[in-house]
Amino acid sequence: MSTERSGFSYRNEELICDSVPVRAIAEAVGTPAYVYSSRQILSRFRAFDRAFGAYPHLICYAVKANANLGILRLLARQKSGFDIVSGGELFRVLQAGGKASRTVFSGVGKTAGEMDEALRAGILLFNCESESELQLLSERAARLRQKAPVALRVNPHVDAATHPYIATGLTEHKFGIEMAAAEDLYRRAQGWPGLRLIGLSCHIGSQIADLAPFAEAVVKLVEMAERLRREGMVVEYLDAGGGLAVAYQPGDSPPSIRDYGRRILACVRGSGLKLLVEPGRALVAEAGILLTRVVRAKITGRKRFIVVDAAMNDLLRPSLYGAYHEVRPVIRNRREQVVADLVGPVCESGDFFARGRRLPAVEADDLLAILTAGAYGFVLSSNYNARPRPPEVLVAGRRWRLARRRETLRDLVRGEIRSTSRVR
Ligand SMILES: *Cc1c(COP(=O)(O)O)cnc(C)c1O
């Protein structure tokens, strides 16, 4: 296990997070449960910040990767910026003490209501993804007697070679505006009443393990910015998006944050553009585990299954993307291994965490840790099969605290209306 990177390691054959035995957390809050290392999140945030050195920059954490208020608060205290994709995420950032003035708003489907909320809050930048969005934003801002700060999200047409569901930088994707069209729109929208065009942005995809596509995209944006500036227009910001890969499997060796920074800096240095980056996964993925307990082992025909108390409703990535997550015992006391499928109790054959995997020969009640679950884990959870969602625990050095309590059965029906007596 890449222990230094992840915040998780073994001490006396027992898995610890920072300095806290994970077993103690399981005993206190039950399973399944998400456990996050604050120390690790902070160390990754600082690595991003350092990677850009004295160059004018802002790290805008992509809230959608993990939106827990405790994590947002941790980052807000470091003067992090935020990248949001909905009015709900803006609400979360503000609840956590994050600054609107350091928040950028991305996404293809911003509604008039969401625009108004972000305008009233006074966000740093709207990353606009279409002409019709831009028109609506101009109208809404003019109505509020404001000039909305805007970057156009350009689709730089680079192939980021990642999973098709998380690639976003090709022209066949729904994201961004094609290069030539974006440049033309930037010129045409100069006189629109409610806008202040001040930047260009891109986001080419997620889990990108090669630095070349990042560099290629940034170079295209810098060149466009220089053309627009020569015509007398203002371009102040370049938002390079997120997407840096993390290690999910033992053999994975994603680029370091330092090399990522160096590569991007080499492309923007000299342009005078203020740099924004929007890492999500790279800040939180390795800092989180999903802690689960074995319910039973089951053998059918020639196949062996280990059934645990976590399921696809808690961590969807394996079912959604066929994603690989390492599975480790919390107590390393069993030497023999078996080949098995690790599955949850949900009534779907797609409810699995690992298939045909060498796993420790566990027994009922043994604890397992599903690693690298800090990003796109809890945020994608649901109540499918009427399963209350798990708690989230934030560890800081030798202490830990609940960052979200486990849902109760009452929570499951909150907001539902049973009575049929009043028909409207
Ligand atoms: C999802 C997303 C990110 C974060 O992507 P990661 O791969 O988690 O770093 C950043 N920017 C935008 C616009 C996104 O949609």
Side-chain angles (χ1 to χ4, degrees):
M1 180 169 16
S2 46
T3 49
E4 291 72 33
R5 296 165 76 103
S6 70
F8 295 88
S9 57
Y10 284 95
R11 189 174 63 198
N12 305 326
E13 302 299 301
E14 193 174 334
L15 188 68
I16 56 170
C17 175
D18 292 356
S19 309
V20 177
V22 165
R23 178 179 44 92
I25 297 173
E27 280 162 9
V29 306
T31 54
Y34 277 97
V35 180
Y36 310 124
S37 159
S38 313
R39 203 183 260 176
Q40 205 55 32
I41 295 169
L42 289 179
S43 122
R44 309 274 293 172
F45 176 81
R46 290 181 189 130
F48 268 100
D49 206 31
R50 265 199 315 273
F52 299 106
Y55 191 86
H57 69 273
L58 181 63
I59 314 297
C60 295
Y61 168 61
V63 174
K64 76 173 193 281
N66 187 326
N68 183 282
L69 293 183
I71 288 178
L72 298 182
R73 164 82 89 189
L74 199 65
L75 291 169
R77 285 217 193 99
Q78 302 296 309
K79 303 217 170 355
S80 175
F82 297 94
D83 170 45
I84 57 167
V85 293
S86 70
E89 286 189 352
L90 175 60
F91 174 74
R92 283 187 167 275
V93 166
L94 298 177
Q95 284 282 305
K99 289 265 190 298
S101 59
R102 283 200 279 269
T103 298
V104 303
F105 193 173
S106 305
V108 295
K110 302 177 196 80
T111 63
E114 287 176 321
M115 287 175 181
D116 289 356
E117 285 161 32
L119 285 164
R120 288 204 183 91
I123 65 163
L124 175 64
L125 201 59
F126 288 85
N127 286 334
C128 287
E129 307 211 12
S130 64
E131 179 158 357
S132 55
E133 180 192 334
L134 204 58
Q135 278 166 353
L136 180 61
L137 180 60
S138 177
E139 267 171 49
R140 302 309 300 187
R143 192 168 303 189
L144 294 171
R145 300 183 196 296
Q146 287 193 30
K147 291 227 177 251
V150 170
L152 291 191
R153 175 157 169 194
V154 177
N155 187 331
H157 198 68
V158 297
D159 191 350
T162 183
H163 189 284
Y165 287 8
I166 52 178
T168 54
L170 288 174
T171 43
E172 65 256 37
H173 296 129
K174 71 178 175 185
F175 300 100
I177 310 170
E178 268 194 275
M179 297 278 300
E183 194 165 332
D184 174 55
L185 183 58
Y186 204 92
R187 292 190 188 96
R188 283 190 294 119
Q190 290 295 315
W192 294 8
L195 302 183
R196 206 153 50 83
L197 281 115
I198 52 172
L200 297 175
S201 71
C202 68
H203 170 68
I204 58 174
S206 201
Q207 188 57 13
I208 299 168
D210 176 6
L211 294 178
F214 290 115
E216 199 185 323
V218 170
V219 164
K220 285 182 173 181
L221 261 60
V222 168
E223 289 170 356
M224 187 186 294
E226 282 168 353
R227 285 194 297 275
L228 293 165
R229 281 170 157 183
R230 275 199 294 276
E231 295 173 34
M233 285 169 270
V234 173
V235 188
E236 188 182 345
Y237 290 97
L238 187 151
D239 183 339
L244 183 63
V246 302
Y248 282 102
Q249 305 200 29
D252 287 353
S253 55
S256 69
I257 292 171
R258 190 154 161 243
D259 288 346
Y260 167 81
R262 212 178 263 166
R263 191 70 177 264
I264 292 199
L265 265 191
C267 306
V268 290
R269 207 187 284 287
S271 71
L273 291 160
K274 291 178 188 153
L275 180 68
L276 304 175
V277 287
E278 305 168 344
R281 191 190 308 271
L283 280 177
V284 294
E286 290 171 279
I289 61 168
L290 175 59
L291 194 54
T292 184
R293 207 178 272 283
V294 174
V295 176
R296 66 179 54 87
K298 171 177 174 175
I299 297 176
T300 63
R302 269 171 301 164
K303 246 182 121 92
R304 182 189 295 264
F305 293 93
I306 298 168
V307 187
V308 293
D309 64 2
M312 64 186 287
N313 74 293
D314 303 304
L315 175 64
L316 187 60
R317 297 187 72 259
S319 310
L320 184 62
Y321 309 119
Y324 185 104
H325 284 266
E326 266 192 76
V327 178
R328 293 299 177 92
V330 168
I331 311 290
R332 278 201 300 209
N333 57 356
R334 298 187 200 284
R335 295 288 161 231
E336 70 288 26
Q337 295 206 313
V338 294
V339 174
D341 283 15
L342 189 73
V343 302
V346 161
C347 301
E348 297 275 350
S349 294
D351 180 27
F352 64 89
F353 295 115
R355 282 177 152 168
R357 187 88 63 84
R358 288 193 79 75
L359 295 166
V362 287
E363 290 174 3
D365 292 333
D366 283 353
L367 288 167
L368 292 172
I370 301 172
L371 305 188
T372 328
Y376 307 107
F378 186 89
V379 285
L380 277 164
S381 67
S382 75
N383 292 120
Y384 189 40
N385 277 210
R387 291 170 49 85
R389 285 184 296 171
E392 293 175 284
V393 167
L394 208 46
V395 176
R398 282 153 52 193
R399 296 160 175 269
W400 64 271
R401 71 171 184 87
L402 208 52
R404 181 189 173 106
R405 63 166 175 76
R406 183 183 305 285
E407 284 182 345
T408 62
L409 295 176
R410 280 267 139 227
D411 290 330
L412 287 180
V413 293
R414 179 153 299 144
E416 288 180 41
I417 297 156
R418 177 168 35 192
S419 164
T420 55
S421 61
R422 273 166 191 262
V423 179
R424 283 205 284 189

